[in-house]
Amino acid sequence: MANKEVLTGAEILIRCLEAENTEFIFGYPGGSVLHIYDALFKQNKIQHILVRHEQAALHAADGYARSTGKAGVVFVTSGPGATNAVTGIATAYLDSIPMVVISGQVPTSLIGNDAFQEVDTIGITRPCVKHNFLVNDVKELASTIKKAFHIATTGRPGPVLVDIPKDITAHTTMFEYPHTIDMRSYKPVVSGHPGQIRKAADLILSAKRPVIYTGGGVVLGNASEELVEFTRLVGYPITQTLMGLGSYPATDAQFIGMLGMHGTYEANMAMHECDVLIAIGARFDDRVTGELEKFCPYAQIVHIDIDPSSISKNVKVDIPIVGAVDSVLQEMTKTIRESGQQPDSDALANWWAKIDAWRSNNCLKYDRDSVLIKPQFVIEKLWEVTKGDAYITSDVGQHQMFAAQFYKFDKPRRWINSGGLGTMGFGLPAAIGTKLAFPNEEVACITGEASIQMCIQELSTCKQFDLPIKVINLNNRYMGMVRQWQEMFYDSRYSHSYMDALPDFMKLAESYGHVGMQIEKPEDVEGALREAMAMKDRLVFMDFLTDQTENVYPMVAAGKGQHEMVLAPEKETA
């Protein structure tokens, strides 16, 4: 840098964020970060989004990161600011979301003295970050921020926390931001091994009953185009995890639905009976595999992942390939094309016939003639009204599963939900980050009356920053998934799952300056959705009073295999 300047640590931090092309900072000020906020006040390149709770700052930055692929940035103060942020950090960590979290810390002279608002932020967050740093010298601040962004956004992404004592933000030094960074101990593998790719291609082409199983790594790796090309080249059935939805078009005939605990009958049965499983950017999560001893008993497994620690972690695989999924899929597709070989067309036709027979079960059917609003019906109508093109965030529970089952995602990064940690309260702040990233796109938060109350104060943030999000509240007056488990596994002992002190959501939304609606009849659902979507400049909170008894099916219970699904009782279907 030609003209080096002497700046405070706080000013250096802001300059570093500008150099990383940061658009938004999501945060909440406090004593330990006031020097930073003062430096922030003096610039106009980065917009700060003031949330009403630190957890929401993390979720909003998370929504921004998931929808854009860029790192979300967060400011929190020391002590309770940092501890309030831990749930959001863990949410991002378990779903591999790139984030840089700047936490304030008490002055270095007071660290370890039980000072006011002091906690061991490094120790507390170590289990749920990709990496964290404590800055002890202002001269190290710029290089530390560069490292934080590099670690957060490369390899398997994840949140990185930088803890900065208050005195460091006041100290001065010459500022120079490194253009590149080299870390001897951190060298993610990008290209897959050519020999392993050739072995995998041979196995894939020899398959009689193949299945392609993809996860969130395809979305995070921006490998959707490569996945579509590969899948259509081989003509195999493809299933996706909750986190992988949208990386392959859900409306395409080769897509056999989501797999796992609430996956489709055809996807889970195909997984159980396949002879070659091609796992791409997926981690064999317990909600996908069911009972491990019963998982894919006939299959040889190819596993492509950028994180070597994920391979054979839960399920032993036959051909591991470590590398970025986009480059590995490119090489795999090239290898198959150049081989001149074709899949066994007769075997593949027989396999598709079997899958189509499973499909004929119509495992997602529900009572379309009900006089009560069915949550599935609301999601289907939302998909129709938005033409399947909206950004959908969700909270956690039955509504999340219904959204995954009935909103057909054809594009990646349109489905934004907490998969690994399952964090209630995620949906609304995640919608804030998404709407800020894409102000001209429709953003809808699908939630339930229990989840929405976890971070409902962020309706104030939406008002302050004029964010016309559409909130779809599937209100069954229960903690729906808890009630479902209590019905199925606890002899209908509904212990503390009934929400018997709910607010009037219409009035609550209106009190924040938004539009409130309550919908009670199925015939009013579509009209209400169209009316809400037409209000381009207003947040609309839509309170749908849904059938309290509706459960999510299919379901693979704990201890069961993928082929041991519980389907909807006939009395509950049309």
Side-chain angles (χ1 to χ4, degrees), residues 10 162 222 276 282 332 336 348 366 414 437 481-482 503 507 524 534:
V162 182
N222 298 312
V276 173
M332 187 77 73
I336 289 173
L348 190 57
Y366 65 91
R414 297 290 174 126
M481 193 60 84
V482 173
K507 290 181 179 178
D524 296 332

Side-chain angles (χ1 to χ4, degrees), residues 93-142:
Y93 177 69
L94 285 176
D95 289 343
S96 304
I97 305 305
M99 258 199 287
V100 175
V101 182
I102 309 298
S103 60
Q105 185 54 273
V106 299
T108 50
S109 61
L110 295 179
I111 292 176
N113 288 357
D114 295 332
F116 176 67
Q117 291 195 331
E118 180 196 0
V119 295
D120 179 7
T121 303
I122 295 296
I124 288 170
T125 60
R126 186 172 288 120
C128 60
V129 293
K130 187 175 178 184
H131 196 67
N132 58 19
F133 298 91
L134 174 63
V135 181
N136 292 307
D137 188 335
V138 70
K139 293 183 178 67
E140 299 172 354
L141 181 55

Side-chain angles (χ1 to χ4, degrees), residues 319-395:
I319 303 178
I321 303 173
V322 178
V325 288
D326 57 347
S327 66
V328 173
L329 282 173
Q330 286 171 8
E331 288 303 311
M332 187 77 73
T333 301
K334 180 182 176 184
T335 299
I336 289 173
R337 282 206 168 102
E338 290 177 350
S339 74
Q341 295 177 264
Q342 298 288 332
D344 185 330
S345 58
D346 291 338
L348 190 57
N350 290 335
W351 182 227
W352 271 113
K354 196 165 192 177
I355 289 170
D356 288 338
W358 288 325
R359 270 178 170 164
S360 67
N361 279 278
N362 191 18
C363 66
L364 298 181
K365 60 190 175 184
Y366 65 91
D367 184 4
R368 296 177 180 275
D369 298 320
S370 172
V371 296
L372 300 173
I373 296 176
K374 294 290 187 178
Q376 303 98 315
F377 180 70
V378 178
I379 304 299
E380 284 187 326
K381 287 300 175 185
L382 178 65
W383 178 74
E384 290 176 15
V385 167
T386 60
K387 298 182 173 62
D389 208 32
Y391 286 83
I392 303 293
T393 72
S394 88
D395 272 299

Side-chain angles (χ1 to χ4, degrees), residues 442-477:
E442 199 66 74
V443 177
C445 167
I446 297 173
T447 186
E449 77 290 338
S451 280
I452 192 64
Q453 292 189 86
M454 293 278 187
C455 283
I456 201 164
Q457 74 282 344
E458 299 311 314
L459 288 173
S460 177
T461 303
C462 293
K463 180 62 177 175
Q464 179 176 348
F465 294 96
D466 296 319
L467 300 173
I469 293 159
K470 305 302 181 280
V471 179
I472 314 298
N473 187 38
L474 301 181
N475 183 352
N476 63 5
R477 286 78 73 204

Side-chain angles (χ1 to χ4, degrees), residues 8 16 28 60 85 273 289 340 457 462 481 526 549 570:
T8 67
C16 292
Y28 202 96
E273 295 202 10
T289 63
Q457 74 282 344
C462 293
M481 193 60 84
E526 182 175 349
T549 66
E570 284 302 316

Side-chain angles (χ1 to χ4, degrees), residues 259-307:
L259 79 162
M261 178 175 279
H262 294 295
T264 65
Y265 184 72
E266 53 268 29
N268 283 336
M269 289 302 296
M271 288 285 287
H272 182 72
E273 295 202 10
C274 73
D275 68 342
V276 173
L277 179 64
I278 306 139
I280 307 170
R283 59 191 179 92
F284 295 89
D285 174 73
D286 61 290
R287 292 295 172 105
V288 160
T289 63
E291 180 64 27
L292 279 173
E293 292 181 0
K294 301 174 182 178
F295 178 72
C296 291
Y298 316 111
Q300 295 185 76
I301 301 175
V302 176
H303 189 187
I304 302 166
D305 204 289
I306 198 165
D307 181 6

Side-chain angles (χ1 to χ4, degrees), residues 64 97 143 254-255 402 416:
Y64 173 85
I97 305 305
S143 62
Q254 281 178 247
F255 181 61
F402 287 133
I416 296 160

